[in-house]
Amino acid sequence: MALKLGDKINLTIHDLAFGGEGVGRVEELVVFVPFVITGETVEVEITELKKNFARAKLLRVLTPSPERVTPECRYFGACGGCQYQHLDYAAQLQMKHKQIADLFERIGKISRAVVAPVIGCPQPYGYRNRIMIRSQWNGPAKRLEIGFIRTDNKFVESIEECKIAEPALNAQIQHVRANPPPKGGIKVVLRVQPENWEVPRDSFFQNNFFLLPKLVETVREFLTAGGARHLIDLYCGVGFFGIEAAGVVDSFVGVEYDRLAIAAARQNAAARKINNGEFIAAPVEDVLPELLKKFSAEKTAVLLDPPRKGCWPATLELLRQTRPAQVIYVSCHPATMARDLNLLCADGVFELARVQPLDMFPQTQHVECVADLRRRN
Ligand SMILES: C[S@@+](CC[C@H](N)C(=O)[O-])C[C@H]1O[C@@H](n2cnc3c(N)ncnc32)[C@H](O)[C@@H]1O
């Protein structure tokens, strides 16, 4: 059957790919369609046709999954922020586990057996402490749209509230709407400051306070099990992991290129009377060679929490050559993480003991993972 753009067809969904799209098949052609669930039969309209795959929009669910639930947000499907509000939360966790295990197997050549079940968020709505509101002039309608980028990635969908954001941010959205920026194209970051942490306006902080204790517990548990005495906390932001783990090591050093974040890290450590650590304002690439010489490799753990693009190959190569006893890799991007873990483990230099996923981003395609790598003797 030769498909054409605009064709309306019935499709059975047999998987949910990482990113949230359901996967169906028409003979040899893979068809991706959002907002569906594995096992469902749906009516879709073909919107994009390529040689090996097609994209379609959902028209109707013909046989709904028992895991289908009513989304809490009225903008779900139009706003590009959430992908899974139609899926029961327990099922979201199982589905994310499968997606991570699939990705790690395919990209990282990693056994799926090391991936632990996903730890869920106690608050699957109203959890985000940071959002970015955009404004865009809508010429045809002659009005300023204030909200989030739409699912189709082109225009701003006006929103009055965001169901995954903390209530305090929803109050701020109302304020932005009542005092709109003068012209389109403006981005406004709204944020709830964490209690007891100094965070400069443009510096990074974990964006879900509700699951943060579990994230810290996981890192501490991995670190304690590895037995290292020194911690090198790379991409340390305002010192979060180094400070939280200061009690389980003799000394630590945090590295971060955001100078204001490093100034805040020093204040955060001082406020807690933590004095077994230091913070360096520099790119990781510039200081890591010297730092790794400073501590004995057998007693050192290196924590990596890079941006979404992952680590530089040279940084990973340096770790392979110097072979610290443990590498703890924290990431919100499982695909780049799988790529980097594959490099670290190549030729049996490091061994991946465990991956702990945590659902820091309920209702969305994103998920946080912490990996525990040990050097092989
Ligand atoms: C995902 S955040 C992690 C921050 C911190 N670990 C936390 O949990 O709050 C990544 C951080 O890496 C920093 N960063 C990115 N590239 C860097 C580099 N090449 N050298 C040093 N820091 C870098 C960013 O400024 C950001 O603060």
Side-chain angles (χ1 to χ4, degrees):
M1 161 186 173
L3 278 183
K4 299 184 305 302
L5 279 181
D7 277 358
K8 292 179 181 165
I9 55 166
N10 291 354
L11 201 64
T12 300
I13 304 301
H14 58 78
D15 203 2
L16 281 187
F18 192 76
E21 287 178 307
V23 184
R25 221 170 249 286
V26 178
E27 291 163 12
E28 291 308 296
L29 193 75
V30 174
V31 183
F32 295 108
V33 48
F35 313 122
V36 294
I37 300 175
T38 305
E40 287 185 333
T41 306
V42 292
E43 187 190 1
V44 303
E45 179 181 330
I46 302 294
T47 53
E48 188 183 338
L49 256 180
K50 295 271 189 283
K51 198 159 165 253
N52 299 322
F53 71 91
R55 286 214 151 76
K57 89 171 173 215
L58 176 65
L59 297 178
R60 244 181 344 141
V61 180
L62 301 171
T63 52
S65 159
E67 288 162 346
R68 184 167 277 276
V69 294
T70 307
E72 288 207 7
C73 176
R74 63 188 137 136
Y75 308 107
F76 180 66
C79 165
C82 291
Q83 291 74 38
Y84 295 133
Q85 286 194 24
H86 63 298
L87 184 58
D88 168 68
Y89 189 53
Q92 287 185 32
L93 298 179
Q94 282 176 7
M95 187 258 315
K96 286 188 178 180
H97 180 264
K98 178 179 180 299
Q99 289 176 342
I100 296 164
D102 285 351
L103 262 183
F104 277 27
E105 209 167 52
R106 187 163 51 81
I107 302 177
K109 312 289 172 236
I110 292 159
S111 156
R112 50 199 310 126
V114 299
V115 182
V118 183
I119 298 176
C121 180
Q123 181 130 341
Y125 279 96
Y127 66 84
R128 268 196 83 104
N129 61 39
R130 182 184 185 279
I131 55 175
M132 187 191 282
I133 299 285
R134 293 164 194 265
S135 67
Q136 188 178 57
W137 180 249
N138 181 339
K142 295 197 175 41
R143 63 164 185 254
L144 191 65
E145 310 287 6
I146 298 175
F148 298 127
I149 298 281
R150 286 176 54 86
T151 304
D152 58 21
N153 251 345
K154 284 191 196 134
F155 301 112
V156 169
E157 174 74 14
S158 261
I159 58 127
E160 300 267 344
E161 59 167 358
C162 171
K163 288 282 184 187
I164 63 168
E166 286 210 28
L169 292 187
N170 277 304
Q172 292 184 37
I173 292 174
Q174 289 310 323
H175 180 78
V176 174
R177 294 191 68 82
N179 304 278
K183 50 186 164 57
I186 302 243
K187 297 174 189 171
V188 186
V189 173
L190 306 180
R191 189 166 200 182
V192 181
Q193 281 289 328
E195 269 175 38
N196 305 324
W197 286 92
E198 186 63 37
V199 184
R201 207 192 63 182
D202 296 324
S203 297
F204 178 91
F205 199 80
Q206 302 287 345
N207 71 11
N208 175 342
F209 298 144
F210 299 91
L211 203 54
L212 216 42
K214 280 279 176 207
L215 181 63
V216 168
E217 195 182 305
T218 305
V219 167
R220 275 214 206 109
E221 187 192 313
F222 285 1
L223 199 53
T224 309
R229 300 317 313 148
H230 309 290
L231 173 66
I232 302 179
D233 177 13
L234 299 179
Y235 313 93
C236 74
V238 297
F240 184 68
F241 287 117
I243 289 172
E244 288 287 0
V248 296
V249 289
D250 295 339
S251 70
F252 71 93
V253 49
V255 181
E256 161 67 52
Y257 66 17
D258 172 353
R259 291 188 167 275
L260 293 179
I262 285 293
R266 292 183 182 128
Q267 287 179 40
N268 286 321
R272 291 163 177 74
K273 301 198 177 2
I274 286 172
N275 47 25
N276 60 336
E278 60 171 312
F279 295 98
I280 302 175
V284 163
E285 302 73 40
D286 289 3
V287 293
L288 189 58
E290 282 309 307
L291 270 183
L292 286 165
K293 282 186 204 148
K294 196 169 150 188
F295 305 108
S296 87
E298 307 84 67
K299 293 188 176 153
T300 299
V302 174
L303 189 146
L304 304 166
D305 185 12
R308 290 174 62 75
K309 65 178 192 270
C311 293
W312 280 51
T315 301
L316 299 172
E317 189 49 42
L318 186 61
L319 293 175
R320 285 171 57 80
Q321 279 163 18
T322 47
R323 301 173 72 235
Q326 186 178 31
V327 173
I328 299 175
Y329 194 131
V330 183
S331 168
C332 64
H333 198 302
T336 53
M337 181 185 206
R339 179 203 65 198
D340 290 355
L341 295 182
N342 177 253
L343 274 174
L344 288 168
C345 295
D347 312 317
V349 175
F350 288 98
E351 183 173 34
L352 185 55
R354 191 169 150 205
V355 175
Q356 179 59 68
L358 297 107
D359 193 20
M360 301 284 283
F361 315 95
Q363 322 304 337
T364 80
Q365 59 178 307
H366 304 292
V367 60
E368 191 86 5
C369 289
V370 186
D372 179 359
L373 296 121
R374 306 294 176 87
R375 97 170 176 189
R376 277 196 155 167
N377 292 316

CSV table of all heavy atoms in Angstrom, one decimal, residues 204-206 233-238 240-241 255-258 282-285 305-307 309 312, ligand 1:
chain,number,residue,atom,x,y,z
A,204,PHE,N,22.7,27.2,37.1
A,204,PHE,CA,21.9,26.0,37.1
A,204,PHE,C,21.5,25.6,38.6
A,204,PHE,O,22.3,25.6,39.5
A,204,PHE,CB,22.7,24.8,36.5
A,204,PHE,CG,21.9,23.5,36.4
A,204,PHE,CD1,21.1,23.2,35.4
A,204,PHE,CD2,22.1,22.6,37.5
A,204,PHE,CE1,20.4,22.0,35.4
A,204,PHE,CE2,21.4,21.4,37.5
A,204,PHE,CZ,20.6,21.1,36.4
A,205,PHE,N,20.3,25.0,38.7
A,205,PHE,CA,19.9,24.3,39.9
A,205,PHE,C,18.9,23.2,39.5
A,205,PHE,O,18.2,23.4,38.5
A,205,PHE,CB,19.3,25.2,41.0
A,205,PHE,CG,19.3,24.5,42.4
A,205,PHE,CD1,20.5,24.5,43.1
A,205,PHE,CD2,18.2,23.8,42.9
A,205,PHE,CE1,20.6,23.9,44.3
A,205,PHE,CE2,18.3,23.2,44.1
A,205,PHE,CZ,19.5,23.2,44.8
A,206,GLN,N,19.0,22.0,40.1
A,206,GLN,CA,18.1,20.9,39.8
A,206,GLN,C,16.6,21.4,39.8
A,206,GLN,O,16.2,22.1,40.7
A,206,GLN,CB,18.2,19.8,40.8
A,206,GLN,CG,19.7,19.2,40.8
A,206,GLN,CD,20.0,18.4,39.6
A,206,GLN,OE1,19.2,18.0,38.8
A,206,GLN,NE2,21.3,18.2,39.4
A,233,ASP,N,34.1,16.7,41.8
A,233,ASP,CA,32.7,17.0,41.4
A,233,ASP,C,32.8,17.9,40.2
A,233,ASP,O,33.0,19.1,40.3
A,233,ASP,CB,32.0,17.6,42.6
A,233,ASP,CG,30.6,18.0,42.2
A,233,ASP,OD1,30.1,17.6,41.2
A,233,ASP,OD2,30.0,18.8,43.0
A,234,LEU,N,32.7,17.3,39.0
A,234,LEU,CA,32.8,18.1,37.7
A,234,LEU,C,31.5,18.6,37.2
A,234,LEU,O,30.5,17.9,37.4
A,234,LEU,CB,33.5,17.2,36.6
A,234,LEU,CG,34.9,16.7,37.0
A,234,LEU,CD1,35.4,15.8,35.8
A,234,LEU,CD2,35.9,17.8,37.2
A,235,TYR,N,31.5,19.8,36.7
A,235,TYR,CA,30.3,20.5,36.3
A,235,TYR,C,29.4,20.7,37.5
A,235,TYR,O,28.2,20.3,37.6
A,235,TYR,CB,29.5,19.7,35.2
A,235,TYR,CG,30.3,19.2,34.1
A,235,TYR,CD1,30.8,17.9,34.1
A,235,TYR,CD2,30.6,19.9,33.0
A,235,TYR,CE1,31.6,17.4,33.1
A,235,TYR,CE2,31.3,19.4,31.9
A,235,TYR,CZ,31.8,18.2,32.0
A,235,TYR,OH,32.6,17.7,30.9
A,236,CYS,N,30.0,21.3,38.6
A,236,CYS,CA,29.4,21.3,39.9
A,236,CYS,C,28.3,22.3,40.2
A,236,CYS,O,27.7,22.3,41.2
A,236,CYS,CB,30.5,21.4,41.0
A,236,CYS,SG,31.2,23.0,41.1
A,237,GLY,N,28.1,23.3,39.2
A,237,GLY,CA,27.1,24.3,39.5
A,237,GLY,C,27.4,25.1,40.8
A,237,GLY,O,28.5,25.5,41.0
A,238,VAL,N,26.3,25.2,41.6
A,238,VAL,CA,26.5,25.9,42.9
A,238,VAL,C,27.0,25.0,44.0
A,238,VAL,O,26.8,25.2,45.2
A,238,VAL,CB,25.2,26.6,43.4
A,238,VAL,CG1,24.8,27.7,42.3
A,238,VAL,CG2,24.1,25.6,43.6
A,240,PHE,N,26.3,21.6,44.4
A,240,PHE,CA,25.3,20.8,45.0
A,240,PHE,C,25.7,19.4,45.4
A,240,PHE,O,25.6,19.0,46.6
A,240,PHE,CB,24.1,20.7,44.0
A,240,PHE,CG,23.0,19.9,44.5
A,240,PHE,CD1,22.2,20.4,45.5
A,240,PHE,CD2,22.7,18.6,44.0
A,240,PHE,CE1,21.1,19.7,46.1
A,240,PHE,CE2,21.6,17.9,44.6
A,240,PHE,CZ,20.8,18.4,45.6
A,241,PHE,N,26.3,18.6,44.5
A,241,PHE,CA,26.6,17.2,44.9
A,241,PHE,C,27.8,17.2,45.8
A,241,PHE,O,27.8,16.4,46.8
A,241,PHE,CB,26.9,16.4,43.6
A,241,PHE,CG,25.7,16.0,42.9
A,241,PHE,CD1,25.5,16.5,41.6
A,241,PHE,CD2,24.7,15.3,43.5
A,241,PHE,CE1,24.3,16.2,40.9
A,241,PHE,CE2,23.5,15.0,42.8
A,241,PHE,CZ,23.3,15.4,41.5
A,255,VAL,N,34.3,21.7,40.2
A,255,VAL,CA,34.8,22.5,39.0
A,255,VAL,C,33.6,22.9,38.2
A,255,VAL,O,32.7,22.1,37.9
A,255,VAL,CB,35.8,21.6,38.1
A,255,VAL,CG1,36.2,22.5,37.0
A,255,VAL,CG2,36.9,21.1,38.9
A,256,GLU,N,33.6,24.2,37.9
A,256,GLU,CA,32.4,24.7,37.1
A,256,GLU,C,32.9,26.0,36.4
A,256,GLU,O,33.7,26.8,37.0
A,256,GLU,CB,31.3,25.1,38.2
A,256,GLU,CG,30.3,26.0,37.7
A,256,GLU,CD,29.4,25.5,36.6
A,256,GLU,OE1,28.8,24.4,36.8
A,256,GLU,OE2,29.2,26.2,35.6
A,257,TYR,N,32.5,26.2,35.2
A,257,TYR,CA,33.0,27.4,34.5
A,257,TYR,C,32.1,28.7,34.7
A,257,TYR,O,32.5,29.8,34.3
A,257,TYR,CB,33.3,27.2,33.0
A,257,TYR,CG,32.2,26.9,32.0
A,257,TYR,CD1,30.9,27.1,32.3
A,257,TYR,CD2,32.5,26.3,30.8
A,257,TYR,CE1,29.9,26.8,31.4
A,257,TYR,CE2,31.6,26.0,29.9
A,257,TYR,CZ,30.2,26.3,30.2
A,257,TYR,OH,29.3,26.0,29.2
A,258,ASP,N,31.0,28.5,35.3
A,258,ASP,CA,30.1,29.7,35.7
A,258,ASP,C,30.7,30.3,37.0
A,258,ASP,O,30.5,29.8,38.1
A,258,ASP,CB,28.7,29.2,35.8
A,258,ASP,CG,27.7,30.2,36.4
A,258,ASP,OD1,28.2,31.3,36.8
A,258,ASP,OD2,26.5,29.9,36.4
A,282,ALA,N,36.6,27.2,36.4
A,282,ALA,CA,37.3,26.9,35.1
A,282,ALA,C,36.6,25.9,34.3
A,282,ALA,O,35.8,25.1,34.8
A,282,ALA,CB,38.7,26.4,35.5
A,283,PRO,N,36.9,25.8,33.0
A,283,PRO,CA,36.4,24.7,32.2
A,283,PRO,C,37.0,23.4,32.7
A,283,PRO,O,38.2,23.4,33.0
A,283,PRO,CB,36.8,25.0,30.8
A,283,PRO,CG,37.2,26.5,30.8
A,283,PRO,CD,37.7,26.8,32.2
A,284,VAL,N,36.2,22.4,32.8
A,284,VAL,CA,36.7,21.1,33.2
A,284,VAL,C,37.9,20.7,32.4
A,284,VAL,O,38.9,20.2,33.0
A,284,VAL,CB,35.5,20.0,33.0
A,284,VAL,CG1,36.0,18.6,33.0
A,284,VAL,CG2,34.4,20.3,34.0
A,285,GLU,N,37.9,20.9,31.1
A,285,GLU,CA,39.0,20.5,30.2
A,285,GLU,C,40.3,21.1,30.7
A,285,GLU,O,41.3,20.4,30.5
A,285,GLU,CB,38.7,20.9,28.8
A,285,GLU,CG,37.4,20.4,28.2
A,285,GLU,CD,36.1,21.1,28.8
A,285,GLU,OE1,36.2,22.3,28.9
A,285,GLU,OE2,35.1,20.4,29.0
A,305,ASP,N,28.4,15.6,35.9
A,305,ASP,CA,27.1,16.0,35.7
A,305,ASP,C,27.0,17.0,34.6
A,305,ASP,O,26.7,18.2,34.8
A,305,ASP,CB,26.5,16.5,37.0
A,305,ASP,CG,25.0,16.8,36.9
A,305,ASP,OD1,24.4,16.5,35.9
A,305,ASP,OD2,24.5,17.5,37.8
A,306,PRO,N,27.4,16.6,33.4
A,306,PRO,CA,27.6,17.5,32.3
A,306,PRO,C,26.2,18.1,31.8
A,306,PRO,O,25.2,17.5,32.1
A,306,PRO,CB,28.3,16.7,31.2
A,306,PRO,CG,27.8,15.3,31.4
A,306,PRO,CD,27.5,15.2,32.9
A,307,PRO,N,26.3,19.1,30.9
A,307,PRO,CA,25.1,19.5,30.2
A,307,PRO,C,24.6,18.4,29.3
A,307,PRO,O,25.3,17.4,29.1
A,307,PRO,CB,25.5,20.8,29.4
A,307,PRO,CG,27.0,20.8,29.4
A,307,PRO,CD,27.5,19.9,30.5
A,309,LYS,N,24.6,17.8,26.3
A,309,LYS,CA,25.4,17.3,25.1
A,309,LYS,C,26.4,16.2,25.6
A,309,LYS,O,27.1,15.6,24.8
A,309,LYS,CB,26.0,18.4,24.4
A,309,LYS,CG,27.1,19.2,25.2
A,309,LYS,CD,27.7,20.2,24.3
A,309,LYS,CE,28.9,20.9,24.9
A,309,LYS,NZ,28.7,22.1,25.6
A,312,TRP,N,33.1,15.9,26.8
A,312,TRP,CA,34.0,16.0,25.7
A,312,TRP,C,34.8,14.6,25.6
A,312,TRP,O,35.2,14.1,26.6
A,312,TRP,CB,35.1,17.1,25.9
A,312,TRP,CG,34.6,18.4,25.6
A,312,TRP,CD1,33.5,19.0,26.0
A,312,TRP,CD2,35.3,19.4,24.8
A,312,TRP,NE1,33.4,20.3,25.5
A,312,TRP,CE2,34.5,20.5,24.7
A,312,TRP,CE3,36.5,19.4,24.0
A,312,TRP,CZ2,34.8,21.7,24.0
A,312,TRP,CZ3,36.8,20.5,23.3
A,312,TRP,CH2,36.0,21.6,23.3
B,1,LIG,C1,23.6,19.8,34.5
B,1,LIG,S1,24.3,21.2,35.2
B,1,LIG,C2,24.9,20.4,36.7
B,1,LIG,C3,25.1,21.3,37.9
B,1,LIG,C4,25.3,20.7,39.3
B,1,LIG,N1,26.0,19.4,39.2
B,1,LIG,C5,24.0,20.6,40.0
B,1,LIG,O1,23.6,19.4,40.3
B,1,LIG,O2,23.4,21.6,40.4
B,1,LIG,C6,25.8,21.3,34.3
B,1,LIG,C7,26.7,22.4,34.7
B,1,LIG,O3,27.9,22.3,33.9
B,1,LIG,C8,28.5,23.6,33.7
B,1,LIG,N2,29.4,23.4,32.5
B,1,LIG,C9,29.0,23.1,31.2
B,1,LIG,N3,30.1,22.9,30.5
B,1,LIG,C10,31.2,23.1,31.3
B,1,LIG,C11,32.6,23.0,31.1
B,1,LIG,N4,33.1,22.7,30.0
B,1,LIG,N5,33.4,23.1,32.2
B,1,LIG,C12,32.9,23.5,33.4
B,1,LIG,N6,31.5,23.6,33.7
B,1,LIG,C13,30.7,23.4,32.6
B,1,LIG,C14,27.2,24.4,33.5
B,1,LIG,O4,27.4,25.8,33.7
B,1,LIG,C15,26.2,23.8,34.5
B,1,LIG,O5,26.3,24.5,35.7
